[in-house]
Each structure stands twice: as C-alpha cells, then as structure tokens.
Amino acid sequence: MYNRRGHKKVLAIVLAGGEGKRLMPLTADRAKPAVPFGGNYRLIDFALSNVVNSGFLKVVVLTQYKSHSLDRHVSRTWRMSQMLGNYVTNVPAQQRIGKEWYRGSADAIYQSMNLIRDEDPDIVVVVGADHVYRMDFSQMVAQHVDTGAACTVAAIRQPRSMADQFGVIDVEPSNPAKIREFLEKPTDPEGLPDSPEEILASMGNYVFTKDALVAALESDNARDDTKHDMGGDIVPAFVDAGDAYVYDFRDNVVPGETERDHGYWRDVGTMDSYYDAHMELVSLNPVFNLYNMEWPIFTQMESLPPAKFVTGMASRAAKVTNSTVCPGVVVSGAEVSTSVLSPRVKLNSYSTVEGSVLFDDVVVHRNATVHKAVLDKGVDVPEGAMVGVDKEHDRARGYYVTDSGITVVGKGVQIVH
Ligand code: ADQ
C-alpha cells in the first residue's frame, strides 16, 4: 500500500498496551484503549479510524495489559479485506524475545520487529491509543519526507501545569522546527516564549524512517540504562543525534472539520478528564463533532433494535434532553439529561439520570436516581436507590469518587441502598 503523498510504503503501529491506572475502576479488567467512550466507541477506535482514514491500511496493534476485551474488539471490529493485502492485526505480547513481557513501549515494538522486517516499509507511523481526536497522519508523513528527518514528533500546546504528563519539546526557530530538547514528563519546565503558561507537548504520535527506527530500537535494547520507552528513551536519542523534527498539530486539516473543532485533542487519561470529555460531547454545541462523516470514527456496529422512548405503565412520558442514546436502549417513563446511554441501557419509570455516563447493559430501576456518575457495564441500580447524589454515602459504600465529585462504579456492581 503506497501512501497518497510521497509514494512511500507505510506501516502503522498502534501502541495499545497501556494500563491506565488513573482510569480505575474502568481499567480493572480492561486495557485503557479498550475503555468505552461516547456510548458505542472504545478509545482505540479514534486512533485506528485516524490511521485508516489517513490511507494507511497495514496496521499492527500491540497489546499487553489485560488485553482480552481489546483483542476481541480489534479483531471483530477492524477485520479488513485481505484482498489488497490490507490488515489490522493485533499482536499480544508474546515473550518472543527472552522471558520478559514488553518492558516499555519501545520494547513492544522491538519484540515485534519481525513484523517490520516482513512488511519492509519505508516509513513507520507509531501512534498511541488513548486519545480522542481527528488527525490526518498522511500530512505528517508528507512533512517527514520533505524534511528528510529520521524522526518526526506530533506536538500540541498544552497548559504548563500539565507538563508532568507529557513529553515537553523545545524547538529551534525554524519551520518546520527541529527539536532542540525533549524532556519526558518534567516537573517545572519553562513555558513557551510567546505564551509562558503553555508548553509544547508531544502527542505520543511519531513518524520514523524505518531503517533509523530499527537501528534506534536495536541500540536501545542493547542498553541497561533505559526504560525502553518511546517517549522516555527513543525520541530523546533522535533529538540528541540532531535528527528529530516537530509536526505542529495546528497545521493538520481534516476533511469536514470546522474552525471550531480544528485542533481538538483530548487526553482522557484521568477520570475527571474522561468525564469532562463526555459532558463536552452532550453539550448543546460540542467542539468535537462525532457527526463529521467525511472523517468517520469507525466502531463495531452490533445488530440491535432501535432506541425506544415510552410512557411506562401508570407513569410519566420519557423525557431525554442533551444526551446521546445508543441502539438497544429503552427509556420508560424516565427523565434523562446531559448523559450518555450506551447500548442496551434500561431506565424504568420515575427514575432520573443526570450528568452521567452509563455503559452497556446498565439498568436503573423505578424511582432510582443517578447523578454525576460513571457506571460501568452491567451496573444495576435497584428501585429507589441513589448514586452520585450524596458523595459521602457513595464513598462509604465503596464507590470511587473523584476530586471533582464524580462517582465511578465498577463493572457489574449491584448498587446497595
Ligand atoms: P504516556 O501516555 O504516559 O506518555 P505510555 O504510558 O508509554 O506513555 O503510553 C503511550 C502509549 O503506549 C499508550 O497508547 C499506551 O497504551 C501504549 N503502551 C504503553 N506501554 C506499552 C507496552 N508495554 N506495550 C504496548 N503499548 C504500550 C506518552 C509519551 C509522552 C506524550 C504522551 C501524550 O511518552 O511523551 O506526551 O504520551 O499523551
């Protein structure tokens, strides 16, 4: 498969082995990229949709941590026609080299080197699987080819207060800019000259010239003083060699986007940011437009009956405002506002759901209330029960409550009064 621009053969590698500790309990038994998002998506669907929409149809997904539901999702959803030699293959950690599982993200790629050798691409695009955004990677590849760099790092401005979550980039004043320094998750870096409270952050998406990547992974593997991490070790090595450029995400133009959603990128790595991204989605005029069909976000479409809204027996009419509702949902005499209802959610008479994200198969029984909460798959809220209304009571019942007061209940929990 040749890239539309530059006529280079491209292999895409999606790093999907992250644990997502800060998304507990949602990551108790699924990898972070498998965490549901927006009702019927999984986080990894955004990265994979971007890769495929960019025209890169040879895709390897590297998984590791609790990868069962992720592997199932990828193989079911992302089955591709083999006719043109295209594929999305998930590769679980195989302990192929030695006894260890992947040590870090660079080691994950190193241990899958046979896939790179078999495919023999000119260019390797490496992307994370944890973010919500649209991006045309072919534009980044085009810049990579133009500069002749060995490594190109996608970058976006972020608040300086969040620097310790990102690779922070200092650039030379050229255009495209060469990277002068790359610090992985520094505590108190300087802000940008034109905006002291912002830093230039790595998005965790990289383009490499294949031979340079292979050489860097081999030399990293031979060393003991590295964490075998893409952001922590491999990218800094390219920067030290004076061979890394930045790709400014502001330059990326995606078909169908508007001025408003241009440049949208959300790291949903904490429960609060995950919740906020959902509330943005159901807001009156969301920044991120799921309905942009010129750059569709693909997912698995299960055969389900349409969502249904009814007046329950001796009840009131169902009322749903500013919410997204997936197939298979039944809202019977319940009131729902600013919420996301995933497939097969059932809401019964006189129940109220407000400011909440309900995963697949959640059932809310009569007169129950769910407020500012994220309920994982299959949570059952019995008649008259309340979740998220009294945060102290939530904590006392063992439910997780975030600093900003969002209650999170793990998979399959039967709520108690
Ligand atoms: P983090 O996201 O903190 O920072 P990491 O935990 O390595 O870095 O995750 C990066 C990606 O690799 C994720 O998609 C994760 O799922 C995956 N991953 C992690 N370990 C893996 C393994 N052993 N096998 C396979 N996949 C693995 C990174 C960069 C920063 C950058 C931020 C942007 O290191 O420089 O700023 O992403 O969010």
Side-chain angles (χ1 to χ4, degrees):
M1 174 71 197
Y2 285 85
N3 170 27
R4 293 198 299 262
R5 290 159 206 252
H7 301 289
K8 297 284 183 188
K9 200 171 164 191
V10 174
L11 174 70
I13 296 180
V14 179
L15 294 170
E19 269 188 68
K21 286 198 191 101
R22 291 170 305 160
L23 278 182
M24 286 293 269
L26 305 182
T27 46
D29 61 7
R30 57 169 89 83
K32 184 174 168 191
V35 169
F37 187 85
N40 51 343
Y41 303 96
R42 306 278 190 139
L43 280 180
I44 195 172
D45 292 330
F46 294 87
L48 282 171
S49 297
N50 287 331
V51 167
V52 167
N53 286 332
S54 299
F56 303 145
L57 301 179
K58 291 180 191 295
V59 189
V60 175
V61 179
L62 301 181
T63 62
Q64 168 170 255
Y65 170 84
K66 294 187 174 160
S67 63
H68 177 66
S69 78
L70 180 61
D71 292 341
R72 196 183 48 203
H73 175 74
V74 170
S75 52
R76 276 195 199 158
T77 309
W78 290 91
R79 244 181 339 210
M80 231 189 258
S81 162
Q82 297 286 319
M83 199 167 64
L84 300 172
N86 301 329
Y87 55 83
V88 176
T89 312
N90 43 325
V91 183
Q94 298 168 54
Q95 304 179 349
R96 183 181 283 276
I97 298 168
K99 288 210 175 68
E100 296 188 60
W101 281 45
Y102 301 152
R103 289 166 289 185
S105 51
D107 191 46
I109 302 179
Y110 179 79
Q111 292 206 33
S112 310
M113 197 82 97
N114 60 315
L115 299 167
I116 301 180
R117 293 227 164 84
D118 289 352
E119 196 53 57
D120 194 27
D122 302 302
I123 302 276
V124 182
V125 174
V126 178
V127 305
D130 300 345
H131 298 97
V132 177
Y133 66 119
R134 282 191 172 87
M135 179 167 177
D136 180 357
F137 295 117
S138 74
Q139 294 169 32
M140 184 175 169
V141 169
Q143 181 198 294
H144 179 85
V145 172
D146 285 349
T147 57
C151 163
T152 303
V153 182
I156 186 170
R157 288 177 175 225
Q158 291 290 294
R160 199 171 76 87
S161 57
M162 291 167 70
D164 62 354
Q165 299 174 33
F166 295 116
V168 174
I169 300 171
D170 182 29
V171 292
E172 288 177 8
S174 55
N175 189 18
K178 198 172 199 182
I179 303 180
R180 188 156 40 199
E181 190 178 37
F182 186 101
L183 294 173
E184 181 71 353
K185 302 175 184 160
T187 39
D188 192 21
E190 267 181 42
L192 290 168
D194 66 347
S195 179
E197 284 316 308
E198 285 188 310
I199 46 125
L200 193 58
S202 160
M203 297 166 71
N205 296 335
Y206 320 105
V207 175
F208 297 99
T209 303
K210 188 261 296 177
D211 291 336
L213 175 63
V214 169
L217 292 172
E218 277 171 349
S219 91
D220 177 76
N221 182 61
R223 289 170 49 183
D224 297 329
D225 59 339
T226 120
K227 289 189 174 140
H228 310 290
D229 183 61
M230 290 305 288
D233 304 295
I234 301 296
V235 171
F238 279 106
V239 172
D240 290 347
D243 215 355
Y245 279 80
V246 92
Y247 174 74
D248 190 336
F249 186 50
R250 289 177 302 189
D251 295 339
N252 201 261
V253 179
V254 171
E257 71 176 10
T258 62
E259 218 173 287
R260 217 168 121 69
D261 60 355
H262 175 77
Y264 181 98
W265 182 78
R266 288 290 182 282
D267 180 0
V268 289
T270 64
M271 270 319 307
D272 281 328
S273 62
Y274 177 84
Y275 176 83
D276 290 345
H278 279 90
M279 291 305 110
E280 271 180 28
L281 272 190
V282 295
S283 66
L284 196 56
N285 194 5
V287 183
F288 189 72
N289 177 14
L290 275 178
Y291 303 86
N292 174 3
M293 289 302 142
E294 290 181 52
W295 194 271
I297 306 301
F298 299 105
T299 190
Q300 183 186 0
M301 282 296 169
E302 209 184 324
S303 296
L304 285 172
K308 188 175 182 187
F309 306 85
V310 294
T311 305
M313 299 263 276
S315 180
R316 59 184 176 184
K319 187 175 167 201
V320 180
T321 47
N322 298 341
S323 297
T324 55
V325 181
C326 290
V329 169
V330 179
V331 180
S332 169
E335 283 200 5
V336 181
S337 60
T338 50
S339 293
V340 174
L341 306 184
S342 306
R344 296 181 307 271
V345 162
K346 289 213 167 34
L347 308 180
N348 292 303
S349 295
Y350 299 107
S351 64
T352 306
V353 175
E354 200 258 319
S356 295
V357 182
L358 274 45
F359 286 13
D360 297 34
D361 299 306
V362 166
V363 181
V364 181
H365 295 269
R366 286 176 78 91
N367 291 310
T369 304
V370 180
H371 175 74
K372 284 186 90 169
V374 178
L375 306 185
D376 202 334
K377 187 171 177 178
V379 167
D380 189 87
V381 188
E383 187 166 343
M386 292 190 183
V387 188
V389 176
D390 176 346
K391 300 296 173 185
E392 281 318 308
H393 185 43
D394 288 348
R395 284 197 187 95
R397 288 181 290 179
Y399 310 146
Y400 177 75
V401 181
T402 70
D403 291 344
S404 70
I406 312 305
T407 302
V408 190
V409 182
K411 199 167 166 182
V413 169
Q414 170 75 46
I415 300 288
V416 291
H417 281 276

